[in-house]
Amino acid sequence: EPEVTQTPSHQVTQMGQEVILRCVPISNHLYFYWYRQILGQKVEFLVSFYNNEISEKSEIFDDQFSVERPDGSNFTLKIRSTKLEDSAMYFCASKSTAQETQYFGPGTRLLVL
Amino acid sequence: QKEVEQNSGPLSVPEGAIASLNCTYSDRGSQSFFWYRQYSGKSPELIMSIYSNGDKEDGRFTAQLNKASQYVSLLIRDSQPSDSATYLCAAWPYSSASKIIFGSGTRLSIRP
């Protein structure tokens, strides 16, 4: 069964460094999303992406964040200058046009020291 | 502010019994509702989706939706230890590109 994949599974970085989190959505899906979950808290929406542009973003998704679909398969989230409070699990999700269900990848656990 | 509210639990249910999980939502424009299961340290995994008022059954799981009361529930029959997890209720509004709004989750523990 097709699934969303994410790399790396874990990332440790120093505060102020740039990180890029990578996702490969399900192949025929056209809607892509990033969510994050700080330990012990709810899953929070960051950004949605469709037709090569951002459809919606939350107030968390400030100028330090960017997304890109560099080729036909990858979808990336870049954090330019990480802060301690960016430490969280980051989930990529994708959705087809035919369904409302979003399918989640396994996540990248980001730790900012 | 569009919210999805859940009792955080923990909800403790004996093995073989029915677990009942509840959720309310604030946005009347929400069209679709989802129950995701999340094991500790893992990603949300879809259990059920429901779009129309009434009940929807899938194996041991039944989702119930009442749009007038803005209420969604999930029943798990014949609870198993593997059902122990956090259950996330989520609402999806009206636009295809829109985000899912998650509740904070109810932690369910099935005791032998």
Side-chain angles (χ1 to χ4, degrees), chain B residues 31-84:
Chain B
Q31 299 293 313
S32 304
F33 304 88
F34 307 91
W35 284 99
Y36 285 85
R37 179 175 62 200
Q38 187 176 33
Y39 293 113
S40 182
K42 301 296 184 183
S43 63
E45 173 195 6
L46 182 72
I47 298 295
M48 293 279 291
S49 58
I50 186 165
Y51 316 115
S52 306
N53 278 327
D55 295 0
K56 180 182 177 183
E57 188 174 318
D58 183 1
R60 295 188 295 113
F61 300 95
T62 299
Q64 300 173 316
L65 173 60
N66 183 325
K67 289 187 178 180
S69 302
Q70 296 176 242
Y71 176 87
V72 193
S73 66
L74 180 70
L75 300 177
I76 307 174
R77 286 181 299 282
D78 187 24
S79 296
Q80 303 296 309
S82 59
D83 294 328
S84 297

